[in-house]
Amino acid sequence: MIPLSGDLGDTKGVVKEKVGSFGTIRGTSTLKRGFAHMLKNGVVMDVTTVEQAQIAEDAGAVAVMVLDKLPSDVRKAGGVARTASIRIIQEIMDSVTIPVMAKCRIGHVYEAMVLQETNVDMIDESEVLTPADENRHIWKWNFTSPFVNGARNLGEALRRIEEGAAMIRTKGEPGTGNVAEAVIHIKNVNTELRRIKSIYDAGDEQDLISVARELKVSYSVVEETASLGRLPVVNFAAGGISTPADAAYLMTLGCDGVFVGSGIFKADDAKERAQAIVLATTFWEDPDKVKEAQKMIDERQSMLGLDTKNLELRMQERGSTA
């Protein structure tokens, strides 16, 4: 964990520090990660309207993620995708009692600052939107709001955590209704976690230093992760999850919860599908419950899936070199 410098006179869980010209006040890692921890075993749903947010809340979602367009619409519209309307975000915050998240562009510090001033519960520095900076992500320690970031492998995840992310979502391919990429990425992370755990258990500090260099992160964050045998923050799956079985499968792979996007509100049975995915995520260890959840949906009414191998735009690759 990166130590917080500056004035540590922290009586209410907030560390105050002057950062550049902004006079930033930033929250502690404990508070940020603790908020994400409260969402474990839950479903976060992408929404664009108050009506969708209310459907998500009624279905049992633990939070909603506000976007200007759902990922599948972003693909169709092309052009530049930016953060959601502040007016819509505020209307949704006024209409639901569950946490409200919103996305900013990768590297767009001021979009994140505006979202923080709007008092959203978490900011997603997201590859679904058009990146503002392909080479640098936001330095998230400068914010009081917790951040979630996407990752396709352990190196990406640890670099985002080192920048201050309080939550990771293993990327799938958004807006496709195809869970394949999400499965690949959580399996990649799990394989890499097992590798560094075995090195740590063997007491081979030199090899662990080599791993830190390979992953382009500090030794301390690699050591912490290896000792835990998992990411030191909550890890949800995202991208292409559109059925209860999709959600339950990703939970069996070690995810702490799921983000669900276009597959819900592009289907004609949106309400039933939302309820079914929440049910399957909650009772993922009970195949009979997941079967009942799967019976609640009608695949004839689902959004059409896209074969990720034929996509011209692969959102998951945005910001992955940083």
Side-chain angles (χ1 to χ4, degrees):
M1 185 185 303
I2 296 177
L4 299 179
S5 59
D7 175 15
L8 299 181
D10 177 11
T11 58
K12 295 184 179 179
V14 175
V15 176
K16 297 184 178 181
E17 181 184 22
K18 185 79 172 178
V19 179
S21 60
F22 297 115
T24 304
I25 299 175
R26 60 189 189 181
T28 67
S29 178
T30 301
L31 283 175
K32 293 174 179 177
R33 293 184 181 186
F35 170 75
H37 190 83
M38 291 169 62
L39 305 178
K40 282 184 69 172
N41 299 311
V43 178
V44 180
M45 294 185 186
D46 286 352
V47 300
T48 60
T49 66
V50 168
E51 180 185 15
Q52 289 176 358
Q54 290 171 337
I55 290 173
E57 181 175 32
D58 291 343
V62 293
V64 293
M65 177 72 73
V66 186
L67 299 89
D68 181 50
K69 300 182 186 70
L70 293 173
S72 57
D73 292 329
V74 171
R75 289 188 179 281
K76 292 177 184 176
V80 178
R82 306 178 182 88
T83 194
S85 160
I86 298 301
R87 179 181 59 81
I88 295 296
I89 293 172
Q90 290 177 328
E91 287 178 1
I92 289 173
M93 289 171 66
D94 290 339
S95 69
V96 298
T97 60
I98 56 177
V100 175
M101 306 178 181
K103 294 181 183 288
C104 72
R105 286 177 274 181
I106 292 174
H108 204 311
V109 176
Y110 230 100
E111 274 190 352
M113 290 176 66
V114 168
L115 291 175
Q116 178 169 265
E117 289 301 309
T118 309
N119 291 322
V120 297
D121 294 287
M122 182 172 270
I123 300 168
D124 185 353
E125 188 181 13
S126 176
E127 68 281 357
V128 170
L129 308 184
T130 308
D133 189 337
E134 285 279 7
N135 300 312
R136 288 186 180 87
H137 285 70
I138 295 167
W139 187 250
K140 290 161 274 287
W141 297 106
N142 290 351
F143 289 79
T144 54
S145 299
F147 276 74
V148 55
N149 275 93
R152 298 184 302 165
N153 53 55
L154 184 60
E156 286 182 29
L158 295 186
R159 290 195 291 277
R160 302 295 81 82
I161 292 168
E162 199 158 46
E163 293 161 357
M167 181 181 192
I168 293 295
R169 48 174 176 74
T170 39
K171 298 178 183 178
E173 187 58 47
T176 62
N178 188 339
V179 78
E181 298 295 316
V183 170
I184 289 170
H185 297 152
I186 186 59
K187 286 187 174 182
N188 286 345
V189 170
N190 288 342
T191 298
E192 293 166 321
L193 285 170
R194 285 193 293 270
R195 174 193 168 206
I196 66 168
K197 175 66 173 171
S198 65
I199 293 171
Y200 178 84
D201 289 343
D204 197 333
E205 186 175 351
Q206 205 163 23
D207 272 4
L208 213 54
I209 291 171
S210 296
V211 169
R213 290 173 179 161
E214 174 192 324
L215 299 180
K216 301 177 183 178
V217 293
S218 67
Y219 175 78
S220 62
V221 74
V222 172
E223 183 183 39
E224 179 189 10
T225 303
S227 68
L228 294 170
R230 58 155 292 148
L231 292 178
V233 301
V234 169
N235 179 29
F236 275 38
I241 300 163
S242 58
T243 71
D246 287 346
Y249 181 36
L250 285 161
M251 294 296 287
T252 68
L253 296 177
C255 295
D256 295 311
V258 298
F259 283 84
V260 176
S262 315
I264 292 288
F265 295 109
K266 287 299 176 182
D268 294 333
D269 58 346
K271 291 182 181 179
E272 294 80 7
R273 190 169 293 262
Q275 292 169 353
I277 290 178
V278 169
L279 180 65
T281 303
T282 304
F283 297 101
W284 62 271
E285 294 179 286
D286 185 343
D288 188 58
K289 287 277 190 183
V290 176
K291 180 198 74 174
E292 292 304 313
Q294 197 75 13
K295 286 170 63 178
M296 293 169 63
I297 67 171
D298 184 349
E299 277 303 297
R300 293 171 298 178
Q301 297 177 337
S302 67
M303 100 178 227
L304 294 175
L306 299 175
D307 187 346
T308 55
K309 296 176 183 177
N310 300 325
L311 293 176
E312 291 184 16
L313 171 60
R314 292 175 68 84
M315 294 178 178
Q316 61 177 280
E317 295 174 358
R318 291 167 161 176
S320 60
T321 58

